[in-house]
Amino acid sequence: MPRIATQPSPAAMSSDDPFLDAACAIGRQIVSDAVWHEGRCTWMGATTDPKEPWRLKYRALGSRVYEGTAGVGLFLAQLNGLTGDGATRHAAVGALRHAIATTPALPPADRDGLYAGVVGVALAAERVAAWLDEPELAASARTVLVDAALPEGRGRCPDVISGTAGMIVGLLALDHPRLAERAVAAGDELLRQARITRHGWSWGHPVCGLSHGAAGIGWALAELFAVTGDERFRTGAAGAFAFERAWLDPVSGTWPDLRIPGQRRGQPPVPGTATTGTWCRGEAGIAQTRLRAVALLGGDAEGHDAKIALDTTRRHVAGLPAREIEDLSLCHGAAGSANALLASAGPSAEAVAVGEHALERYGDGREPWPCGVPGGVTPGLFLGLSGIGWWLLRLHDARIPSPLETWGLTASTAAT
């Protein structure tokens, strides 16, 4: 894909807030590095091969929200809402055009989920269309759901990132009756797949957490209950949360990584896990799901879970400035953990301290911001610069929608 000149890089912006200045600097870097062709743009980003995780590779970004151009476009659109910069807006639109154009080519197995699926691309296009007043993207948002057929039926991954639960959350956020009907059908399938025991409800290979575990599935079922009033979905959500509650260690306030053999209910997680306090598999993501569940379902048990998860996340974030931060990513890094504190209670002294620590080390541009790809840099949202930049925007103004949810429930939630 040839690189061609389009718009100039954003002019340097200086404010009285170093967090906003750092986010703008990241935006300038991303815009400058864009690779353009026929009105669409993508980027080169670091990645690792799961079979050879020690080997770093660089390749063009795909379409998805998690690591692709849909996620980069979301960040640039948020940044444009604060700066009004024309080059940032141009790149945001180009990124979504690329995502929309390439999503139909995703293999069927890669079309499910919210952050790694077709629905996420459609939702990102709809949000950016509203924030930037781009009717072209608004029209394309629904078209992509048709052109890249959505998975249906049995045998699907159940989780939020790449599976049925994520599709449910995304379809409901798109707020259209026919899409809501498809979400209900997907919810029915989740209920059929559930493994119900005295410890609660679980799916597939049972794990805890938002991204791939019971917390995220419970979140999706709670959203379905809120839309339909169907008590089956409330029961399923409560069952998912009960499964995780059975694994909570009340002494440490942590949930175990059930991928690691040897975990026992009622005992501390073994060994000490790197997922503690993270968004994807740890307490930060669990807190997000329980806070949402309290808003949708009420319930003292979910509120108690939220308090424990937030307390553990706060302790984790409070300890970060005392050591080297090797990962600032949203998914499993410091930004995702700190973002949970911002999402729960607005300004957070612990989150601000991590931001100031990161600015001191990386804000002068002499060292790259540490992404979630060890040793490499990517502009992607969940593992890279776009997510770090969005987190800095939220440190500037916590009212900006969280990058780890559905980016606001209405068009009016874009940064202005």
Side-chain angles (χ1 to χ4, degrees):
M1 183 180 291
R3 181 171 180 170
I4 60 176
T6 53
Q7 297 280 344
S9 296
M13 176 178 175
S14 180
S15 74
D16 59 357
D17 187 338
F19 294 130
L20 178 57
D21 289 345
C24 289
I26 289 174
R28 289 195 295 273
Q29 177 182 343
I30 292 174
V31 171
S32 176
D33 290 343
V35 181
W36 287 88
H37 180 63
E38 296 183 349
R40 308 196 303 267
C41 65
T42 187
W43 289 263
M44 299 297 292
T47 186
T48 56
D49 187 334
K51 297 180 180 179
E52 300 177 311
W54 63 88
R55 183 170 296 174
L56 196 65
K57 300 178 181 179
Y58 278 82
R59 61 185 60 170
L61 268 57
S63 62
R64 305 185 299 187
V65 170
Y66 186 88
E67 84 293 13
T69 60
V72 178
L74 279 164
F75 163 62
L76 293 176
Q78 278 293 322
L79 184 61
N80 175 262
L82 289 167
T83 67
D85 179 77
T88 305
R89 176 191 180 95
H90 186 65
V93 174
L96 267 299
R97 285 174 177 166
H98 173 271
I100 291 164
T102 55
T103 292
L106 285 173
D110 293 340
R111 295 178 185 173
D112 218 343
L114 176 59
Y115 305 117
V118 174
V119 173
V121 174
L123 184 58
E126 183 181 82
R127 295 295 194 248
V128 172
W131 297 344
L132 301 183
D133 191 21
E134 286 284 342
E136 167 212 340
L137 294 181
S140 300
R142 301 299 169 87
T143 301
V144 74
L145 294 174
V146 176
D147 291 346
L150 297 180
E152 293 182 334
R154 300 184 178 185
R156 296 157 60 187
C157 170
D159 72 22
V160 164
I161 293 281
S162 306
T164 309
M167 177 179 286
I168 290 168
V169 172
L171 289 174
L172 294 178
L174 283 164
D175 194 23
H176 186 278
R178 288 189 177 180
L179 297 180
E181 291 175 4
R182 299 191 71 166
V184 169
D188 289 339
E189 186 58 37
L190 274 182
L191 297 182
R192 284 192 291 269
Q193 291 176 357
R195 184 183 300 115
I196 303 173
T197 72
R198 64 188 178 89
H199 296 296
W201 295 36
S202 62
W203 289 260
H205 177 68
V207 292
C208 300
L210 191 160
S211 63
H212 300 291
I217 297 171
W219 172 30
L221 293 173
E223 297 284 356
L224 270 175
F225 168 75
V227 170
T228 65
D230 190 328
E231 288 291 334
R232 297 178 305 134
F233 297 131
R234 178 199 280 272
T235 300
F241 300 144
F243 167 82
E244 284 193 332
R245 197 172 301 118
W247 282 104
L248 168 65
D249 173 36
V251 176
S252 64
T254 61
W255 281 260
D257 185 346
L258 295 180
R259 296 172 298 173
I260 300 173
Q263 308 289 358
R264 296 289 184 271
R265 288 187 178 90
Q267 298 181 12
V270 291
T273 172
T275 64
T276 299
T278 61
W279 172 84
C280 54
R281 295 182 182 273
E283 289 75 21
I286 289 172
Q288 178 183 318
T289 65
R290 300 310 198 272
L291 290 170
R292 184 63 176 158
V294 169
L296 297 176
L297 310 176
D300 293 339
E302 284 70 32
H304 185 63
D305 289 351
K307 183 180 185 305
I308 293 173
L310 283 172
D311 286 346
T312 299
T313 303
R314 186 171 289 107
R315 290 195 299 271
H316 170 71
V317 172
L320 291 174
R323 57 183 186 267
E324 185 75 14
I325 298 178
E326 298 179 348
D327 183 355
L328 263 176
S329 72
L330 290 175
C331 184
H332 41 258
S337 303
N339 179 77
L341 302 182
L342 296 173
S344 65
S348 160
E350 296 86 357
V352 170
V354 172
E356 291 172 343
H357 180 59
L359 288 181
E360 183 178 353
R361 177 65 186 273
Y362 304 105
D364 59 9
R366 288 184 292 181
E367 291 187 64
W369 295 94
C371 296
V373 183
V377 176
T378 178
L381 182 60
F382 277 69
L383 295 178
L385 298 177
S386 290
I388 296 169
W390 199 332
W391 169 61
L392 292 168
L393 289 181
R394 281 177 51 75
L395 287 173
H396 165 69
D397 184 351
R399 295 171 297 178
I400 291 172
S402 170
L404 294 173
E405 297 177 13
T406 53
W407 323 301
L409 298 180
T410 66
S412 63
T413 56
T416 55

